[in-house]
Structures are given as C-alpha cells and as structure tokens.
Amino acid sequence: MEKKTIADVEVNDMIKAGLSMEEAKEFHKILKQTIAEAKGSDAREVWQKVVAKRMLMPWHPHRLHQLIYYSVYAHWDASINGPPLYWFPSLSQSKYTNLGRAMEIYGPEFLGASYKDPVTSFRLFQKYSVQHPDDYWSIILRELSIVFHEVPKCIIDTTNKSKHGGKWLPGSVLNIAECCLQPSSHPRKNDDSVAIVWSDESDNSKVNHMTLKELREQVMLVANALDATFAKGDAIAIDMPMTVSAVVIYLAIVLAGFVVVSIADSFAAKEIASRLRISDAKAIFTQDYIIRGGRKFPLYSRVVEANPHKAIVIPAIGSDVGIELRQQDLSWKDFLSSVNHLLRPNYYCPIYQPVDSITNILFSSGTTGEPKAILWTQLSPIRCASDAWAHIDIQVGDVYCWPTNLGWVMGPILLYSCFLNGATLALFHGSPLGRGFGKFVQDAGVTVLGTVPSLVKAWKSTNCTEGLDWTKIKSFCSTGESSNVDDDLWLSSRAYYKPIIECCGGTELASSYIQGCPLQPQAFGAFSTASMTTGFVILDENGVPYPDDQPCVGEVGLFPLYLGASDRLLNADHYKVYFKGMPMFKGMHLRRHGDILKRTVGGYFIVQGRADDTMNLGGIKTSSVEIERVCDRADEGIMETAAISVAPVDGGPELLVIFVVLKKGFNVEPDKLKMKFSKAIQSNLNPLFKVSFVKIVPEFPRTASNKLLRRVLRDQMKLELSLRSKI
C-alpha cells in the first residue's frame, strides 16, 4: 500500500476503499475536522481521536480501515518513537479494572508518594510486585475464589537454596477444583450463576446454559463414578474436544484426587501412545467421533490403536455410543451407572491435598523428539487465574471464549481463569473456522475472545464474520505464535478497536511471562509489559544482561521466583532443561525460557522467535520472525512465509531461504517473489541481506498446536542442496 499521509487522503481514495460517493464525502468531512482538531499533535493522538469518534465502523470494508490506519502512521519511525499505538487506556475506566481497583487501594501504601493513578503508576506497581511478591500474592488470594482447607504458613519460603524457585504457600492444603465449584462472596458467584454457555455446531441457533449448581452436581456424580472404578492417585487421560463433558471430567478427576493426563484430540495414535506410556495412565476418556462441519471423524478407533488399558467413551451425538467397544472399555452411560446405588450420587467430599500435589500432566508440543511431561500442581491454576485477573481483566459477568483443547495448556488455563474469577466459560462444540462459531460469539454475548493468529487470518480471508455483531467484546487475547499487524487491525476493528492482549508464556510456567495490559497503551503484535510478579533480563551473546531501559535483542533469562512454574519433569532432568548453563544475576540463577526477545524504544516487547530460530546472515544475527514480518507484506498473493537459513554444502556464509504459501487463486513466480523479498528486506531490515532461494509450497509443516516447524523446512532444504551439489 502506498505511503499516503492522512492529510493527503481524498474522497476518491475512500471510494476505492469501498465507500459510496455519499458515504465517502461524509467520512472525508469528519476526517478533515478530526485532523484539524489534532493539529500539531503526533500520529498517536490523531489515531486516538479517530477511534474515540467511532468514525470507523466494524462493518466498514477492511480496505477503509487499512487506508486510515496506515495513512495516520505513514511517516512514523518506530526506531525513534517505538511501535505505533492503536489502543489507549482511559483513566476513569482504568479504576474499574481488577488491577486498577487494587492499585487505588494498595498503591499509596506500597509506593507512598510515588503513587499517582493506575495508568501513570503501572510500571512502578509491576516492579514492586517483582520485588515484594508476598504483598502481591496476598492480594490475589483474596481476589480469587481460593479457599484453603489448611492456610499457608507464609507466601514464599526461600530458605532451601537448592530449590531455585522457592517453596510457595508452604503448609497449605486445598482442592483447587472445589474452589472452582463452590459459591463465594468475592468474586461474587452463587448457585444460580451461569457457569457455562455452549452451542452445538449442528444446532447453532440455540445457546445452552449451565448454572454453577448444575456443574457442581455433574462433577460430583463423575467423581463418585471415578472412585468406583480407579485407585486414588491414578493418572487418567482426556482425549476429546473441549466440550461441557470434557470440562466436567477434568474437574471431577482433580476433585477426587486423581491426576489428569492432557492429550490433544488431533494427535495420531503414536503420539497418544507415547503420552499414555510416559504418564502411566490407567484409562482414557474419549469420544466415539469428532463432529466437524456435519462430518464424522473417528476418534475412539485412533485411541484404541494407542492401546490404552481402558477407555471410557462419550457419544458425540445422543446418549448411546455409535461404535462397538473393546471388552475392557466402558460407554459413558455404563460408567455413570456405577453410582446408581448411592443415596446422594451428586454429592462428593473433595480430596484435600498439599498445594504442591500434582493435578495435571501436560506435554510440551514435542518439536524436538519426545515431548516433555510437565507437572501442574495446585499452584498452577492460581497463577493462570491471576494473569487473567490482572492482564485480561476477567470479572464476574464476563463471558470468556477461547477455541482450544484440554490437551493444550490453554484448555486448563481457560477453565481455571473463568471459574476462579467468577466468569462464564463459553464453549462451541464444533469448528471455530466458520460462520457458526462467529454467530455463537455474537449470540452467547462473549465479552472476551481468545484466538491464535492463524485463526484470525482464516476469519479475515474468508470474511465469515460479515454481518455479525461482535461489539459486546471488551477485549481480545492472542497467543501461540507471532501476530500479523494487518490481521490484528482487522480483528480489533470488529469491536470498535478494542485491545488485543498478547500473551506469551509456556506450559511449564502455567502462564505468560510477557503480556498486554488494560492499564497501558497497546501496539499491534507487541507485548507492553512483563506479567505481574515476573522479572526477567534480556541477555547479550555473552550472557550479560542489557540495561533495563535499553532497546535490544537477545535471549530471555527469567527470574527463578515464579509462582506456578514447574519444578520437576516426569521424563527429563528439570535442572538440565531450565537452569543448566544459564548465568547468575544479582545472586539468582536465571531460568531458561528459550525466546529471543526484542525490547523496543518505549519498552514494548516483540518475540523474535526461539533461540534456535536465529540465523547468522553475513555475520549479522537476525530472527526468522523479523524476516517473515517483512516478507508477508511484500506481495498481495502471499498467505504466509517461513524464513530459514542453511549453510552451503561446500561451506561459507549461511544462505537465506524463504518458503511461501500463496492465497487461493494467486499464482506468482518464485523469481519475482525473490526480487520483491530482497528489496523489502534490504529497505526494512538490512541492505546486506540477500534472498538466495524462494520455494512455493502448498502448506507448512506444523506441530499439533500449530507451531511452525522451521526445523523440518531447514532439513528439506539441506537435503535439496546436497542433492544439487551431486548433480
């Protein structure tokens, strides 16, 4: 798109962007008034006024949104000014956010005369939470619906120096599932509160509701059935879509003192088998089929191929399983019939355990060999629910939706974030890719919508949300991979430019270490802060931290005191994976995360990929993500790009290779793209970088959690170069 400034935008440009002559004239008039009002202001203030006036409507063509946003920021120099901002907190509204309310109460006490207001003092308060975690977590334990059977002796005990992460809430005993299910006065939830809303793809016109009392009774029924079938402490797997039944089963396993084994429903039999073996799971809950777009995909048969000890099979439709089961397996109906003899099958006395008891075995995505088995304790839900409280501002009355699965960390995070904050969990039984899901978001009154960037790209490219009203949404969230600025522009515009809270963390952290925040201005595809209580440094190539206020790029080193972070692995050496080889900083042994992070002018963060996704081009280190961001915008026919570097067979500097997936209906020659990529990279990144090869492919290899496998592309290219050298 040509770099036209906002003052140069004419009526004709607006007609080209999809407005009628009348609409364009009216829009142009208001635009000119807005520019006049903001005279002498920088681009941020112009954009802020455009958004505040609601000139740009969710139903306006995306081309118009692009025209205005990119024209406002046409001459913006991010290297001097930091990233362009699109959302700004209101001081009055900030005091009604969870964190803003807490800051107004505790800010003057903790920060003294330095405290001004939630927006001005946010960074000071975040820093205070890192230095005084006991003060911050004391607030959180009052804010979430956490009830201890035995209260903790203190917040953190750091006397045992061999435990790098300290011992959190020592001496405390509770059942975290019970905390989700019982009424509480703060956050306010009672038996009649709506705990879950859901809709089935097959009957998208109907939104179903389940109260907290109904959820608790269903969970307790399943807990009784588990007791009749298994021995305390058994690991029990779940491999099915994230339906109401899956949520009930998850909470019942934790309530009854068993351990959940999380397995994604997209896995092949071999992947299921390895996770059952590593966790020593005694059984698996699954479905007969997965229903997507009216089609049936077998799931039970895939699970059986993995040879579990026992499977309990839930029907995807109706009350009877539509498939013949193995002798040792049970239908859902037969499993539940084991409690028929009980006088009160819907009542169950929870199993109370120490706070560091294991509740869930989750797995890293396994991009390099066997997946790591990560152990969640009862601390992990407290951590993820506190992030949702502070950064996503999940409150009583919110309806929180995030298409995910209990096999991925986002599933349990979503579940606990809703139920420990008194919000309603919104589930769609079907594919999130089509209009059906978009309609559910509208009809269920979703107020917070979580996504992954590839999902947003699909919604935008198919225009499946056209005509739907998403304006009840107060914020979006995004995780899993780097966001695309234009896709985020499209998403935010669906709800009058509400913020997209970027989240980046890990299964082993039970949370995000960097996030957006409703008390700070937000930039597309960027993180505005370290999460509350999280401290980290960015390390140079020699492992020396950059000063906190300096723009830089390097590997992240996390401060080790991190409530909810893992302290053991089931099938690997925890110290070796997360601490060995990491430097000391102010007497702390830093924890490895593996991200390469860029800190911008203004203190925003952009993830530049993993430490193993960096490349050395002519002696200059750069990241795949940075190159991909530039290449994605080089031609309108590009769906997505993947950048890798390979060493030539006969040695020498690394060669830059760009893999490309084209949009449907586009056909572009690799040589033409090679020229465009080289030009874009040289003008935006470095004039010395040169593209050696462009490969057009139908799709990229990805993990089941949708992470791009650049390693596979690198191996393909190495093989191709080695074959070429032999010809």
Side-chain angles (χ1 to χ4, degrees):
M1 190 167 286
E2 62 184 278
K3 287 204 169 182
K4 199 170 229 190
T5 70
I6 194 68
D8 299 329
V9 171
E10 297 295 340
V11 171
N12 215 26
D13 298 313
M14 293 168 188
I15 294 168
K16 279 185 195 162
L19 294 187
S20 69
M21 174 67 84
E22 281 308 304
E23 290 167 333
K25 280 180 176 171
E26 183 58 27
F27 192 96
H28 188 256
K29 191 172 121 190
I30 300 167
L31 182 63
K32 286 294 178 201
Q33 284 169 1
T34 308
I35 296 166
E37 286 166 21
K39 205 167 180 67
S41 305
D42 73 12
R44 282 177 291 214
E45 287 177 54
V46 175
W47 177 253
Q48 196 173 356
K49 282 191 184 299
V50 167
V51 172
K53 284 192 171 184
R54 292 201 166 182
M55 294 164 55
L56 288 164
M57 301 293 189
W59 54 87
H60 275 145
H62 182 54
R63 292 196 309 269
L64 183 69
H65 291 271
Q66 288 174 311
L67 173 70
I68 304 304
Y69 176 77
Y70 294 121
S71 301
V72 165
Y73 283 113
H75 292 160
W76 187 260
D77 188 340
S79 65
I80 297 168
N81 303 311
L85 304 174
Y86 72 94
W87 184 82
F88 305 85
S90 130
L91 185 55
S92 58
Q93 285 175 356
S94 74
K95 294 175 183 179
Y96 293 100
T97 63
N98 291 325
L99 192 55
R101 185 171 40 79
M103 283 176 69
E104 286 287 272
I105 297 166
Y106 300 101
E109 181 190 333
F110 295 164
L111 302 176
S114 303
Y115 182 75
K116 299 289 181 283
D117 60 68
V119 175
T120 313
S121 307
F122 170 75
R123 288 208 169 162
L124 277 178
F125 198 77
Q126 194 282 333
K127 202 170 180 182
Y128 182 91
S129 77
V130 177
Q131 293 162 347
H132 305 275
D134 40 350
D135 283 344
Y136 182 78
W137 288 111
S138 297
I139 297 170
I140 290 296
L141 293 176
R142 289 193 290 272
E143 289 291 334
L144 303 179
S145 61
I146 306 291
V147 179
F148 292 104
H149 194 62
E150 291 176 30
V151 297
K153 295 186 178 79
C154 58
I155 296 290
I156 182 165
D157 175 2
T158 54
T159 50
N160 182 352
K161 296 301 171 194
S162 68
K163 275 184 93 73
H164 298 293
K167 192 167 171 59
W168 292 91
L169 310 182
S172 64
V173 173
L174 75 161
N175 185 297
I176 199 70
E178 181 192 36
C179 297
C180 291
L181 297 167
Q182 293 297 347
S184 71
S185 56
H186 184 83
R188 189 188 72 255
K189 49 177 180 168
N190 53 47
D191 275 350
D192 295 331
S193 299
V194 178
I196 304 178
V197 292
W198 79 97
S199 193
D200 287 301
E201 194 176 63
S202 55
D203 182 14
N204 196 221
S205 57
K206 187 180 174 201
V207 176
N208 307 280
H209 300 77
M210 180 183 279
T211 65
L212 185 65
K213 182 171 189 261
E214 289 165 341
L215 174 63
R216 184 172 65 248
E217 289 183 348
Q218 286 208 23
V219 169
M220 289 185 167
L221 178 76
V222 174
N224 278 312
L226 288 168
D227 271 0
T229 318
F230 300 104
K232 279 288 169 254
D234 279 354
I236 303 165
I238 300 176
D239 182 352
M240 59 188 287
M242 193 163 170
T243 60
V244 176
S245 296
V247 169
V248 166
I249 293 161
Y250 184 100
L251 288 169
I253 293 172
V254 178
L255 191 76
F258 300 99
V259 178
V260 177
V261 178
S262 291
I263 302 179
D265 63 0
S266 54
F267 279 140
K270 183 168 159 272
E271 298 285 350
I272 299 169
S274 73
R275 284 155 174 80
L276 292 174
R277 173 181 52 77
I278 293 165
S279 63
D280 189 25
K282 297 296 185 276
I284 187 166
F285 281 91
T286 189
Q287 273 184 191
D288 48 3
Y289 297 99
I290 295 173
I291 311 288
R292 286 282 185 274
R295 291 172 62 201
K296 280 169 133 182
F297 298 92
L299 181 57
Y300 171 72
S301 57
R302 206 179 341 132
V303 166
V304 164
E305 232 183 292
N307 201 23
H309 295 302
K310 181 192 281 288
I312 296 155
V313 188
I314 293 102
I317 296 174
S319 55
D320 293 311
V321 171
I323 201 164
E324 197 175 326
L325 305 183
R326 298 179 308 173
Q327 199 176 347
Q328 71 264 44
D329 297 339
L330 285 171
S331 71
W332 181 235
K333 198 187 263 183
D334 289 344
F335 169 71
L336 294 179
S337 71
S338 64
V339 300
N340 285 351
H341 65 285
L342 296 177
L343 284 173
R344 296 173 69 196
N346 293 111
Y347 176 77
Y348 187 87
C349 188
I351 302 300
Y352 298 106
Q353 299 190 88
V355 76
D356 57 359
S357 303
I358 297 160
T359 60
N360 195 177
I361 300 168
L362 294 117
F363 296 88
S364 65
S365 41
T367 54
T368 50
E370 187 172 81
K372 291 192 295 287
I374 292 161
L375 307 174
W376 264 33
T377 67
Q378 300 195 87
L379 289 163
S380 315
I382 296 173
R383 178 73 201 209
C384 63
S386 74
D387 270 5
W389 177 89
H391 290 269
I392 304 172
D393 195 41
I394 297 295
Q395 301 193 10
V396 171
D398 275 326
V399 180
Y400 192 6
C401 180
W402 199 320
T404 185
N405 187 270
L406 288 168
W408 301 120
V409 70
M410 208 46 243
I413 285 178
L414 177 66
L415 182 155
Y416 287 120
S417 294
C418 286
F419 299 145
L420 294 177
N421 280 296
T424 299
L425 170 63
L427 300 171
F428 183 68
H429 298 177
S431 167
L433 287 166
R435 188 173 178 81
F437 174 76
K439 186 175 183 302
F440 170 68
V441 169
Q442 168 188 278
D443 296 349
V446 168
T447 60
V448 181
L449 177 60
T451 64
V452 292
S454 52
L455 198 49
V456 180
K457 195 178 280 297
W459 293 336
K460 178 182 148 203
S461 65
T462 58
N463 204 21
C464 64
T465 64
E466 190 178 9
L468 295 174
D469 182 357
W470 280 13
T471 57
K472 276 190 181 159
I473 293 172
K474 70 173 192 181
S475 68
F476 298 93
C477 317
S478 181
T479 194
E481 52 192 338
S482 294
S483 290
N484 174 284
V485 170
D486 196 64
D487 292 347
D488 275 1
L489 177 74
W490 175 87
L491 181 66
S492 180
S493 74
R494 298 302 88 196
Y496 292 110
Y497 288 98
K498 293 301 190 303
I500 301 168
I501 303 296
E502 294 280 347
C503 310
C504 179
T507 307
E508 79 286 356
L509 297 177
S511 63
S512 300
Y513 74 96
I514 47 174
Q515 275 186 292
C517 177
L519 301 179
Q520 294 175 294
Q522 297 300 307
F524 289 127
F527 306 83
S528 59
T529 181
S531 60
M532 296 303 291
T533 73
T534 300
F536 65 79
V537 287
I538 298 176
L539 304 165
D540 68 15
E541 288 174 15
N542 302 311
V544 178
Y546 289 101
D548 276 351
D549 54 356
Q550 185 182 323
C552 57
V553 178
E555 186 175 348
V556 170
L558 293 173
F559 291 5
L561 293 184
Y562 197 113
L563 185 147
S566 63
D567 62 1
R568 60 209 133 146
L569 293 167
L570 203 54
N571 61 340
D573 181 333
H574 191 272
Y575 173 79
K576 201 170 160 187
V577 172
Y578 295 113
F579 289 98
K580 194 178 177 186
M582 288 298 282
M584 299 294 290
F585 176 73
K586 294 185 177 175
M588 298 179 284
H589 194 155
L590 293 175
R591 181 181 175 122
R592 178 179 293 108
H593 181 68
D595 279 350
I596 298 290
L597 205 57
K598 174 182 182 175
R599 181 165 47 226
T600 71
V601 172
Y604 287 78
F605 300 100
I606 295 167
V607 177
Q608 304 268 274
R610 302 290 289 167
D612 51 9
D613 278 338
T614 54
M615 49 181 98
N616 187 326
L617 301 175
I620 299 163
K621 280 209 165 175
T622 188
S623 80
S624 302
V625 174
E626 201 164 22
I627 287 175
E628 287 156 9
R629 276 207 180 98
V630 171
C631 291
D632 280 351
R633 301 196 301 264
D635 186 278
E636 63 171 353
I638 292 168
M639 183 70 153
E640 54 184 342
T641 60
I644 58 137
S645 67
V646 285
V649 179
D650 51 357
E654 290 181 20
L655 305 173
L656 175 57
V657 184
I658 313 287
F659 285 79
V660 182
V661 175
L662 294 173
K663 289 177 185 168
K664 264 189 187 156
F666 282 87
N667 190 6
V668 193
E669 289 300 313
D671 283 348
K672 191 179 170 192
L673 285 177
K674 187 175 154 184
M675 279 167 55
K676 284 190 170 185
F677 289 155
S678 290
K679 194 177 169 189
I681 290 166
Q682 285 160 7
S683 58
N684 287 286
L685 293 177
N686 194 306
L688 302 175
F689 293 170
K690 188 176 120 225
V691 179
S692 297
F693 300 101
V694 169
K695 304 282 296 176
I696 294 173
V697 293
E699 61 182 4
F700 292 150
R702 292 183 179 275
T703 66
S705 64
N706 214 39
K707 288 192 171 73
L708 179 58
L709 284 166
R710 293 186 186 85
R711 175 176 48 82
V712 174
L713 296 174
R714 204 175 289 122
D715 292 345
Q716 283 174 15
M717 203 62 212
K718 276 182 190 164
L719 180 64
E720 188 176 321
L721 289 178
S722 118
L723 292 172
R724 281 189 194 188
S725 69
K726 290 171 186 167
I727 294 170

